[in-house]
Amino acid sequence: MAVIGFIGLGNMGFPMACRLKEAGHDVRCFDVSAGSMARAHGAGLKPQGSAADAVASAEVVFTMLPSGRHVLEVLAAGDLPFAAGALVVDCSTIDVASCAAFHQALQAKGLATLDAPVSGGVGGAAAGTLTFMVGGAVAAFERAQDLLRAMGKNIIHAGDAGAGQAAKICNNMLAGISMLAVSEALHLAKRLGLDTRKFFEIASTSSGQCWALTSYAPEPGLVPSAPSNRGYEGGFASELMLKDLRLAEQAALASQSPALLGAAAANVYAMHCAAGRGRLDFSSIIQMLGASH
Ligand code: NAD
């Protein structure tokens, strides 16, 4: 059993902290939201009065916060009383520069650090089936393995510090672009008079095949488990996809990498969110094409 500090008990952090508790760990947690703290108390976690109290005796500290600004404000800027040699694992999805600053600031305090963003959403967090993409030293990765296994199914060491965030941003840029591409193809097929199911059957076994089509089709009636069949409720919110596409754009600019399709997808998602559909699953982007989906 390890003493764990957990900061950020939102949609993702709360179920992740619960998985650690269920695995037998002593989870001392903190969130600025009173509602989140009450929910944590109800679930048998140990809510603390401050982030400082949550980390004070922790061998391993996890953060699951909205953005890089929050991570740096909580961990790097504050003078938190970390236990000597503690391991700090940030699971939030944040920008490349903040991630580098996180590693640098905490390592300067003699702490071990990992960036370990996740894929799998709220459902994956509750079921303990998340994918963790981890950046940092191999020794720190090995130290975190058992705890990450309590929360996830696929635990992948992506490389040195920052590699986890890089993988997350690139993966989600790919997912955002391909969802838009699949939407355009389905929409055009319909306009050309093709039967949607017939086109789906053909593209699923042709060169157009991809995850966005065969596992997560944006058009209802094609993939029974896809959010399109539930009015685009649940799944991965369009506003979170927009956030990740913006992070990818930022990273592409900073590294002078062409990412034309990533930028185009970000703009379409921005319009989609501005139209009030940011909470819908990201496959609802097909609605931007004007069809009655
Ligand atoms: P959320 O907004 O539900 O939770 C964030 C929590 O952090 C909130 O409870 C908030 O009160 C808390 N918080 C903010 N500032 C704080 C501070 N200074 N101290 C303590 N607590 C503070 O967000 P979420 O959906 O849980 O996402 C968390 C991270 O995971 C984000 O970076 C997101 O991009 C990433 N992510 C989310 C999903 C998803 O499906 N929701 C999937 C993969 C990755």
Side-chain angles (χ1 to χ4, degrees):
M1 185 203 72
V3 176
I4 311 279
F6 205 112
I7 303 172
L9 302 165
N11 293 326
M12 295 293 289
F14 173 70
M16 290 166 70
C18 288
R19 296 290 308 184
L20 289 169
K21 182 197 162 271
E22 282 156 25
H25 301 293
D26 178 353
V27 185
R28 304 176 182 188
C29 53
F30 177 71
D31 193 293
V32 286
S33 145
S36 295
M37 293 288 268
R39 181 167 69 155
H41 179 71
L45 302 172
K46 293 185 182 164
Q48 307 289 307
S50 64
D53 291 338
V55 308
S57 315
E59 296 151 58
V60 182
V61 174
F62 285 94
T63 44
M64 194 51 167
L65 295 162
S67 71
R69 177 175 65 79
H70 299 88
V71 172
L72 295 183
E73 270 171 22
V74 173
L75 291 178
D79 200 11
L80 292 182
F82 291 105
L87 167 63
V88 184
V89 186
D90 178 40
C91 298
S92 330
T93 302
I94 66 174
D95 60 285
V96 168
S98 298
C99 180
F102 149 78
H103 282 285
Q104 204 176 13
L106 296 196
Q107 284 179 16
K109 295 180 182 179
L111 302 167
T113 52
L114 292 172
D115 52 289
V118 304
S119 182
V122 178
T129 56
L130 293 171
T131 291
F132 283 89
M133 318 162 204
V134 190
V138 172
F141 175 69
E142 280 167 2
R143 212 172 137 190
Q145 278 269 3
D146 285 351
L147 298 174
L148 297 178
R149 289 226 167 273
M151 300 183 280
K153 197 167 65 169
N154 302 303
I155 319 296
I156 300 162
H157 187 227
D160 293 339
Q165 286 302 344
K168 168 78 183 172
I169 290 170
C170 293
N171 177 73
N172 281 23
M173 183 179 82
L174 181 55
I177 293 169
S178 56
M179 186 56 74
L180 189 52
V182 165
S183 298
E184 286 187 1
L186 285 167
H187 184 62
L188 178 61
K190 201 183 254 184
R191 284 285 166 95
L192 296 179
L194 273 164
D195 175 74
T196 304
R197 291 204 61 80
K198 237 345 135 193
F199 174 65
F200 176 75
E201 191 187 331
I202 292 164
S204 295
T205 52
S206 300
S207 50
Q209 191 280 329
C210 62
W211 178 88
L213 179 70
T214 51
S215 297
Y216 215 87
E219 173 83 22
L222 300 175
V223 175
S225 59
S228 54
N229 296 301
R230 307 189 297 271
Y232 303 97
E233 294 296 332
F236 185 62
S238 296
E239 61 194 10
L240 287 176
M241 176 52 84
L242 175 59
K243 171 194 164 182
D244 293 354
L245 286 167
R246 292 289 192 218
L247 292 178
E249 257 187 312
Q250 240 177 295
L253 260 178
S255 61
Q256 299 188 2
S257 311
L260 306 182
L261 299 183
N267 282 324
V268 181
Y269 274 95
M271 290 189 286
H272 191 49
C273 293
R277 296 193 283 259
R279 298 258 166 204
L280 297 181
D281 177 74
F282 79 111
S283 60
S284 64
I285 199 68
I286 197 168
Q287 296 176 342
M288 283 304 286
L289 305 178
S292 52
H293 300 282

